[in-house]
């Protein structure tokens, strides 16, 4: 009985990490047959960096993720602020619904509906002209801002109301209170919201597939088309690099948090 | 006996105009009246305590003075100026919050400087006044600390300094000592009074702690269910409670219910289950009216022999609690009522014990007549 | 990360006494409101409108809704969905797969969350980080990893053949089994995190009190721990069940041609058949069939927590 928990938890972690380990191990495999060991090699990493399609897609994905995460933080914070701090107003239930609904919306529906909107808008008002990075950025901002809004909302609710009242009591006007007090206090939530939005955007295949256009294939779209044709070792190499970056990032964040304490 | 008292008490003769006038103010949240038609005058330099249980409306009243809540009806005037259309950031008031509301991302000195900077004061003046305040609250060495690096008592003093630095006409304090432990609270009470005396700022303090209110205040306003039920100096409130609620809320009290039996020029007799009880004459009570006589436990004398007091009863010791400086007895009267009596523990006197028969007595002047 | 974000708004808040903030306030409201109105709410109207049109070989591939003032919309696309059992099967199958994989995820996630919550401090943070780490790496790549493990000449088959457990490679890839493995694998962190957040708050003295009153570990778990962790269970299950219903990537990469899920059907309708009008009808039906049960689930979740 005493051993039950450690064993189950151990198996659980094994389950979580064996696939990741296998990705990394076979990225150093000489053989093109991803799952048969053919000797140690780093050639797939070289191949990865020489593949213009992957390099382009990577740049596109990073650009889209950075822009849409930033927009999502701005809009999501406004939405959270309005919902938590503005009291009742006409249209509040609608805004509240529109802010949380993207969280439960299947990606295929979000993708299809935005594509049809963009097509109709183009015919009606001529904007956005064609599909490409702009339309992907808009689409990602929509669903990322919902996540940001949730994170920021919970931080705002936890925040002591009297901090803002104190600032106002000491002579600060409302906008001033927001920039002097509210924003610095919720800053950690903005940072984690940005990171979450950035990751979600970088990771999205389905929505981007619907709303992208020629020349704006994102990294997940390129990976998906490669993977559909079967395993390919340069994808393993790419995965290993991503895992390395994330592990380093989380490690550094943990260190920084320990130091702050 | 008493030394001549020169302490100013402008509310007694009311010749000076009040500094703060609250005129029939009401605050409703939906159907619920948090503050219900409250009027109050407060004079310059007072340390006025709003005392009441949780939900009595005292904090809402305070927040209306600060401008965080808009009154549903009524007017607040500070120094002759109507505050109705003045937003919180433009009011001549400052507030010390129950949670202290110290800005977590700013150092102690930046917290204190914040209000001065909003007034557009020059760098040198801000620094000078911050240093002055830090000295006043004895936090000189801690200017660069962040709030989370301070103890509870230090945070409380930063909050006080921050709210005083703008030299407000009126300082509002919401449970200023509520978060401190008992010993620190007692020390800080006196510090608060000294600071108020030095600066001459008018204080309004909200508290639920009656001892705190007694110690601090020039006058107390007791609140219940959104209304002010009694306003007076601490001694008045304790010695002459105006209602059963106040008598019961402030300190402990024995209440003998009964009805007015006879009224003479120099006393009134109340018929109770314990027999007739004599009290000083009180205007406004009619014959047969349902009343209660409130007697404080420390005003009743105990003895093993019969006593010749205005009111004398016998009882049996049911239980007692030895408290060090005094002993509290629970005495059962023949009527079945249990009475509390506090006896100071002096020299010699042999304490009473369980089941002992005792005589108790108190002068008519020790009783107060309250309605209900 | 919770789905039920019923942050009570509109509580006590600063009034705007004579500040002339009327238009400023509405401007702040308008920015997120209009953005979401245009890019989230209106798109559904567009989809609804297109689902009523006839397909047409054109760019874009659908006919007009009005012509010469006459309304041309009809419910033909919806009738088509009803006439072909593919769509209903796919919907029911999505619900089945989502339900089964939610239960599997709970059964694996609960003991893990419990073990993490009960471990001493430095280890607890490390274990928690190990749960979160895969969540930050690419979802697509984590699904991809299972192709290499599950396929005919993949790691698992090679290992089992080498051990002599089997003498023929097992067919695992492109089966429902692979889909379940993929779903449980990718959604496990979503189950563990809310459960952990709940279990870590469980007061240890409650467990001591229970055993002090004579309950064994199993009784303590069933009578104390489990009921108290119900909000965490509900939150975790919703975080898994809801997105799995509309899942596309996992059935597309790990499932076989007969692994029908509604998200995949919509994708194929759009990208393979290029039938935008039927895809729109599928989307509308899915909206009604997915959003309505989710609203019901949220009601239940609110009641529990």
């Amino acid at each position: 009985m005493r051993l039950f928990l450690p064993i189950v938890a151990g198996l659980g972690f094994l389950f979580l990490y064996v696939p990741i380990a296998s990705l990394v191990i076979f990225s150093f495999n000489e053989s093109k047959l991803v799952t048969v060991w053919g000797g140690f090699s780093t050639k797939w990493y070289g191949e990865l960096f020489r593949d213009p399609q992957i390099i382009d897609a990577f740049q596109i994905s990073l650009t889209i993720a950075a822009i849409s995460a930033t927009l999502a933080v701005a809009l999501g914070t406004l939405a959270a602020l309005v919902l938590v701090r503005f009291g009742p107003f006409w249209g509040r239930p609608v805004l509240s619904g529109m802010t949380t609904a993207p969280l439960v919306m299947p990606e295929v529906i979000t993708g299809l509906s935005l594509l049809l909107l963009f097509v109709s808008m183009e015919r009606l008002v001529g904007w956005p002209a064609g599909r490409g990075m702009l339309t992907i950025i808009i689409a990602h901002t929509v669903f990322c801002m919902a996540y940001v809004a949730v994170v920021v909302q919970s931080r705002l609710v936890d925040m002591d109301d009297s901090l803002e009242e104190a600032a106002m009591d000491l002579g600060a006007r409302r906008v001033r209170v927001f920039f002097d007090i509210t924003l610095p206090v919720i800053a950690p939530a903005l940072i984690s919201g940005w990171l979450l939005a950035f990751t979600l955007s970088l990771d999205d295949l389905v929505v981007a597939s619907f709303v992208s256009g020629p020349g704006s294939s994102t990294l997940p779209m390129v990976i998906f088309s490669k993977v559909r044709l079967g395993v390919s070792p340069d994808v393993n190499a790419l995965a290993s690099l991503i895992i390395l970056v994330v592990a380093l990032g989380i490690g550094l964040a943990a260190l920084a948090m320990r130091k702050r304490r | 006996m008493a030394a001549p008292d020169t302490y100013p008490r402008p509310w007694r003769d009311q010749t000076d105009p009040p500094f703060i006038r609250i005129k029939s103010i009401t605050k409703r949240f939906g159907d619920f009246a948090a503050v219900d038609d409250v009027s109050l005058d407060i004079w310059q330099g007072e340390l006025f305590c709003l005392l009441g249980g949780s939900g009595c409306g005292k904090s809402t009243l305070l927040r209306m003075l600060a401008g965080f809540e808009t009154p549903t009806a009524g007017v607040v005037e500070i120094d002759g100026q109507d505050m109705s259309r003045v937003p919180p950031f433009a009011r001549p008031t400052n507030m010390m919050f129950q949670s202290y509301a110290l800005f977590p991302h700013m150092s102690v000195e930046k917290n204190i400087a914040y209000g001065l900077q909003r007034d557009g004061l020059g760098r040198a003046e801000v620094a000078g006044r911050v240093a002055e305040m830090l000295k006043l609250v004895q936090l000189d060495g801690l200017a660069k600390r962040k709030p989370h690096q301070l103890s509870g008592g230090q945070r409380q003093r930063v909050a006080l300094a921050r709210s005083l630095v703008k030299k407000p006409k009126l300082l509002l304090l919401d449970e200023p000592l509520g978060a401190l432990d008992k010993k620190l609270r007692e020390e800080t009470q006196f510090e608060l009074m000294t600071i108020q005396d030095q600066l001459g700022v008018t204080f309004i303090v909200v508290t639920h702690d009656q001892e705190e209110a007694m110690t601090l205040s020039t006058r107390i306003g007791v609140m219940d269910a959104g209304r002010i039920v009694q306003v007076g100096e601490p001694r008045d409130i304790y010695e002459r409670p105006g209602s059963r609620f106040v008598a019961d809320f402030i300190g402990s009290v024995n209440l003998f219910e009964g009805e007015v039996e006879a009224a003479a020029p120099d006393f009134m007799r109340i018929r109770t289950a314990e027999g007739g009880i004599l009290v000083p004459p009180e205007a406004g009570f009619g014959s047969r009216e349902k009343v209660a006589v409130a007697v404080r436990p420390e005003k009743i004398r105990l003895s093993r022999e019969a006593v010749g007091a205005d009111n004398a009863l016998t009882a049996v010791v049911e239980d007692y609690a030895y408290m060090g400086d005094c002993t509290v007895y629970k005495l059962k009267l023949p009527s079945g009522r249990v009475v509390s009596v506090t006896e100071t523990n002096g020299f010699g006197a042999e304490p009473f014990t369980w089941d002992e028969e005792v005589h108790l007595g108190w002068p008519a002047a020790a009783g107060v007549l309250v309605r209900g | 990360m919770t789905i039920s974000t019923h942050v009570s708004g509109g509580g006590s808040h600063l009034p705007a006494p004579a500040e002339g903030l009327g238009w400023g306030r509405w401007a702040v409201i308008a920015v997120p409101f209009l953005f979401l109105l245009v890019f989230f709410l209106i798109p559904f109207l567009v989809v609804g409108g297109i689902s009523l049109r006839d397909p047409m070989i054109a760019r874009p591939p659908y006919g007009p809704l009005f012509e010469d003032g006459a309304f041309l919309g009809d419910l033909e696309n919806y009738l088509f969905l009803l006439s072909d059992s593919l769509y209903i099967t796919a919907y029911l199958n999505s619900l089945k797969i989502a339900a089964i994989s939610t239960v599997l995820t709970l059964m694996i996630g609960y003991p893990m969350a419990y073990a993490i919550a009960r471990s001493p401090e430095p280890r607890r943070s490390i274990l928690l980080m190990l749960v979160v780490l895969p969540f930050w790496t690419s979802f697509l790549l984590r699904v991809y990893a299972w192709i290499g493990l599950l396929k005919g000449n993949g790691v698992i088959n090679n290992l089992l053949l080498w051990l002599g457990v089997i003498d023929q490679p097992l067919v695992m890839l492109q089966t429902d089994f692979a889909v379940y493995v993929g779903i449980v694998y990718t959604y496990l962190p979503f189950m563990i995190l809310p459960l952990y957040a709940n279990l870590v708050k469980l007061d240890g003295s409650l467990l001591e009190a229970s055993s002090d009153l004579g309950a064994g570990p199993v009784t303590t778990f069933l009578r104390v721990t489990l009921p108290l962790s119900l909000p965490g269970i509900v939150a975790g299950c919703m975080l898994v069940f809801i997105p799995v219903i509309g899942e596309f990537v996992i059935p597309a990469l790990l499932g076989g041609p007969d692994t029908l899920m509604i998200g995949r059907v919509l994708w194929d309708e759009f990208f393979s058949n290029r039938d935008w009008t039927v895809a729109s009808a599928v989307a509308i039906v899915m909206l009604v069939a997915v959003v309505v049960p989710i609203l019901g689930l949220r009601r239940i979740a609110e009641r529990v927590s």
Side-chain angles (χ1 to χ4, degrees):
Chain A
M1 200 56 218
R2 303 210 107 210
L3 284 176
F4 173 76
L5 267 184
I7 289 174
V8 174
L11 287 175
F13 279 105
L14 211 61
F15 175 60
L16 276 180
Y17 279 90
V18 162
I20 291 176
S22 86
L23 275 181
V24 177
I25 290 168
F26 285 102
S27 73
F28 294 107
N29 190 3
E30 168 74 34
S31 160
K32 186 159 174 58
L33 288 169
V34 167
T35 52
V36 182
W37 189 251
F40 182 85
S41 157
T42 53
K43 70 174 183 190
W44 302 115
Y45 288 86
E47 199 129 310
L48 186 68
F49 289 116
R50 281 190 297 275
D51 184 338
Q53 206 192 355
I54 288 206
I55 300 295
D56 282 355
F58 185 59
Q59 281 175 347
I60 289 173
S61 274
L62 280 185
T63 314
I64 291 174
I67 297 176
S68 35
T70 309
L71 288 174
V73 166
L75 289 164
T77 304
L78 278 183
L81 198 72
V82 165
L83 290 175
V84 179
R85 288 281 191 261
F86 275 39
F89 60 89
W90 183 90
R92 187 179 185 282
V94 181
L95 181 64
S96 164
M98 290 194 302
T99 316
T100 47
L103 297 175
V104 296
M105 198 53 66
E107 290 168 309
V108 281
I109 298 188
T110 310
L112 177 72
S113 64
L114 276 164
L115 169 71
L116 297 182
L117 174 84
F118 292 139
V119 170
S120 309
M121 277 175 75
E122 190 183 5
R123 292 176 76 189
L124 266 159
V125 295
W127 184 91
R131 261 81 60 208
M133 278 175 68
L134 175 67
T135 48
I136 302 177
I137 288 170
I138 293 174
H140 282 186
T141 305
V142 172
F143 76 80
C144 289
M145 80 175 265
Y147 287 90
V148 175
V150 169
V151 174
V152 175
Q153 253 177 307
S154 69
R155 184 79 190 87
L156 278 173
V157 168
D158 287 345
M159 180 180 170
D160 182 0
D161 291 359
S162 51
L163 286 179
E164 287 165 344
E165 288 176 353
M168 192 172 279
D169 184 64
L170 292 167
R173 281 157 185 275
R174 222 162 277 252
V175 176
R176 180 102 224 178
V177 172
F178 177 75
F179 285 104
D180 281 357
I181 309 298
T182 319
L183 210 53
V185 170
I186 64 171
L190 299 193
I191 293 170
S192 49
W194 192 91
L195 287 172
L196 185 61
F198 185 81
T199 314
L200 288 168
S201 166
L202 211 54
D203 215 20
D204 166 66
L205 165 72
V206 176
V207 176
S209 299
F210 277 97
V211 298
S212 73
S216 65
S217 290
T218 62
L219 191 60
M221 289 167 67
V222 172
I223 296 173
F224 186 68
S225 62
K226 271 180 178 280
V227 166
R228 253 202 166 168
L229 305 173
V231 286
S232 76
D234 51 346
V235 173
N236 282 46
L238 180 65
S240 306
L241 289 178
I242 291 178
I243 290 161
L244 181 71
V245 170
V246 170
L248 280 178
I250 290 190
L252 285 177
L255 270 182
M257 261 159 70
R258 188 157 297 180
K259 247 187 196 161
R260 269 178 64 176
R261 235 174 268 154
Chain B
M1 238 169 67
D5 182 353
T6 54
Y7 193 84
R9 291 190 174 86
W11 54 88
R12 285 196 178 163
D13 50 20
Q14 307 223 340
T15 44
D16 296 343
F19 187 59
I20 292 136
R21 305 196 82 139
I22 298 170
K23 298 181 191 163
S24 342
I25 208 168
T26 296
K27 177 67 183 180
R28 274 197 199 86
F29 296 107
D31 289 338
F32 170 71
V35 173
D36 192 0
D37 194 23
V38 165
S39 294
L40 198 57
D41 287 342
I42 294 171
W43 275 264
Q44 178 135 37
E46 267 204 81
L47 202 166
F48 192 95
C49 274
L50 286 167
L51 176 64
S54 60
C56 71
K58 57 189 193 299
S59 291
T60 309
L61 184 55
L62 198 73
R63 290 171 58 81
M64 285 195 281
L65 291 169
F68 299 136
E69 306 282 357
T70 324
T72 315
V75 172
V76 175
E77 270 176 24
I78 298 176
D79 203 6
Q81 195 195 347
D82 180 1
M83 289 288 124
S84 305
R85 305 195 64 79
V86 183
F89 54 78
R91 292 197 179 200
T93 62
N94 281 120
M95 179 145 166
M96 185 180 150
F97 291 82
Q98 184 173 12
S99 65
Y100 305 148
L102 298 180
F103 307 135
H105 55 296
M106 296 184 193
S107 64
V108 166
E109 76 186 342
K110 291 213 170 101
N111 261 284
I112 299 176
Y114 188 80
L116 298 173
Q117 286 161 347
R118 297 288 75 73
D119 284 354
L121 297 187
R123 197 178 289 255
E125 182 168 9
V126 170
R129 278 174 64 179
V130 169
E132 197 182 302
M133 278 326 292
L134 281 170
K135 201 161 187 179
L136 182 74
V137 297
Q138 299 157 38
L139 287 173
D140 310 64
L142 305 177
K144 303 283 181 209
R145 294 261 185 105
K146 290 277 182 71
H148 68 267
Q149 296 167 312
L150 301 176
S151 72
Q154 290 166 337
R155 267 181 241 175
Q156 192 260 2
R157 281 183 280 167
V158 177
L160 182 64
R162 188 180 71 178
S163 57
L164 278 171
V165 75
K166 292 184 78 173
K167 301 185 178 148
K169 288 182 179 170
L170 169 63
L171 186 67
L172 307 164
L173 302 97
D174 190 359
E175 302 276 2
L177 309 173
L180 305 180
D181 60 49
K182 194 172 180 338
K183 212 177 164 76
L184 195 55
R185 188 157 60 216
E186 281 165 8
E187 288 168 25
T188 315
Q189 279 173 3
F190 290 101
E191 246 176 64
L192 205 59
M193 287 157 75
T194 314
I195 288 175
Q196 196 248 353
D197 222 32
Q198 276 177 29
L199 301 181
V201 176
T202 310
F203 278 28
I204 298 182
V205 177
V206 153
T207 180
H208 67 278
D209 180 337
Q210 38 145 326
E211 268 180 57
E212 190 174 305
M214 290 281 183
T215 319
L216 288 176
S217 52
T218 53
R219 284 190 305 153
I220 297 174
V222 183
M223 288 191 73
D224 180 37
R227 291 169 171 276
I228 296 240
V229 290
Q230 189 173 359
V231 178
E233 291 173 34
R235 181 180 289 272
D236 292 338
I237 300 266
Y238 188 79
E239 303 284 348
R240 312 220 51 83
S243 67
R244 196 179 164 137
F245 172 82
V246 175
D248 208 22
F249 187 77
I250 314 278
S252 48
V253 75
N254 296 299
L255 290 161
F256 300 90
E257 289 94 357
E259 56 186 35
V260 180
E261 189 180 53
D266 50 351
F267 68 88
M268 282 169 90
R269 191 158 69 224
I270 312 303
R271 184 168 52 207
T272 68
E274 289 73 31
I277 293 182
L278 300 184
V279 293
E282 188 92 47
F285 288 90
S287 183
R288 303 266 159 227
E289 191 169 340
K290 295 263 179 238
V291 293
V293 179
V295 188
R296 299 284 181 194
E298 74 277 10
K299 310 225 159 167
I300 302 178
R301 289 279 146 262
L302 288 188
S303 132
R304 290 196 163 84
E305 294 90 40
V307 283
D310 296 343
N311 299 295
L313 298 167
T314 56
V316 172
V317 177
E318 193 175 69
D319 207 348
Y320 64 87
Y322 175 75
M323 319 276 285
D325 55 344
C326 63
T327 302
V328 177
Y329 292 94
K330 298 282 174 202
L331 307 171
K332 193 161 195 171
L333 300 175
S335 64
R337 175 188 297 285
V338 176
V339 173
S340 307
V341 176
T342 310
E343 284 272 281
T344 310
N345 293 328
F347 290 112
E350 199 189 325
F352 304 96
T353 187
W354 290 290
D355 294 332
E356 210 180 330
E357 202 172 278
V358 292
H359 295 270
L360 50 151
W362 68 92
V368 177
L369 204 55
V370 292
R371 238 169 267 277
Chain C
M1 289 272 318
T2 42
I3 286 287
S4 50
T5 56
H6 284 266
V7 179
S8 69
S12 73
H13 253 289
L14 299 181
E19 249 189 279
L21 250 179
W23 67 268
R25 180 182 141 98
W26 283 110
V28 174
I29 294 174
V31 173
F33 194 95
L34 290 178
F35 182 83
L36 286 172
L37 191 71
V38 172
F39 294 112
F40 185 73
L41 210 55
I42 291 181
F44 294 123
L45 301 180
V46 176
V47 175
I50 289 173
S51 73
L52 301 176
R53 305 188 195 197
D54 293 329
M56 190 179 268
I57 300 171
R59 283 180 67 103
Y62 48 78
L65 202 53
F66 294 96
E67 200 167 59
D68 303 330
F71 184 68
L72 297 182
D74 54 41
L75 294 174
E76 212 169 298
N77 295 318
Y78 292 94
L79 293 175
F80 172 71
L81 295 188
L82 283 176
S83 68
D84 192 334
S85 67
L86 172 94
Y87 301 99
I88 293 165
T89 315
Y91 175 63
L92 294 177
N93 207 38
S94 301
L95 287 182
K96 187 190 92 184
I97 289 178
I100 293 175
S101 42
T102 302
V103 172
L104 291 174
T105 314
L106 177 64
M107 277 160 52
I108 299 174
Y110 198 104
M112 288 180 75
Y114 191 86
I116 298 171
R118 287 276 153 263
S119 42
E121 194 17 90
R123 197 197 301 162
R124 186 200 295 173
S125 304
I126 294 168
L127 291 179
L128 199 63
M129 215 163 73
L130 286 176
V131 172
V132 179
L133 194 131
F135 165 79
W136 289 98
T137 60
S138 167
F139 170 80
L140 188 57
L141 291 172
R142 279 181 295 144
V143 178
Y144 162 74
W146 282 100
I147 301 179
L149 292 173
L150 294 175
K151 65 180 190 160
N153 61 347
V155 176
I156 292 175
N157 271 321
N158 286 346
L159 186 70
L160 291 177
L161 284 169
W162 182 74
L163 287 172
V165 182
I166 51 170
D167 46 17
Q168 281 285 321
L170 298 171
V171 179
M172 293 183 287
L173 195 61
Q174 303 203 327
T175 61
D176 282 4
F177 169 73
V179 173
Y180 285 120
V181 170
I183 292 174
V184 172
Y185 178 68
T186 45
Y187 285 93
L188 196 54
F190 291 93
M191 181 62 87
I192 294 177
L193 290 179
L195 278 173
Y196 164 81
N198 174 285
L199 287 169
V200 79
K201 281 185 283 184
L202 184 74
D203 184 355
S205 58
L206 291 178
L207 307 183
E208 286 169 3
S210 171
S211 70
D212 182 59
L213 295 168
V218 176
T219 315
T220 300
F221 176 77
L222 292 176
R223 303 289 290 274
V224 180
T225 313
L226 197 61
L228 285 173
S229 59
L230 210 54
I233 294 175
V234 172
C237 287
M238 302 232 310
L239 283 177
V240 175
F241 184 76
I242 291 168
V244 169
I245 299 176
E247 187 55 61
F248 162 73
V249 175
I250 296 171
L253 290 183
L254 301 179
D258 55 339
T259 310
L260 285 176
M261 287 187 76
I262 191 77
R264 194 180 175 193
V265 167
L266 190 150
W267 176 285
D268 288 342
E269 208 63 65
F270 183 84
F271 286 100
S272 311
N273 300 348
R274 303 226 152 256
D275 191 336
W276 291 21
T277 58
V278 169
S280 298
V282 173
I284 293 294
V285 171
M286 200 171 157
L287 201 61
V288 173
V290 173
V291 171
V292 169
I294 285 172
L295 289 178
L297 276 177
R298 287 177 62 156
R299 209 39 73 71
I300 295 169
E302 273 161 40
R303 215 166 287 160
V304 169
S305 54

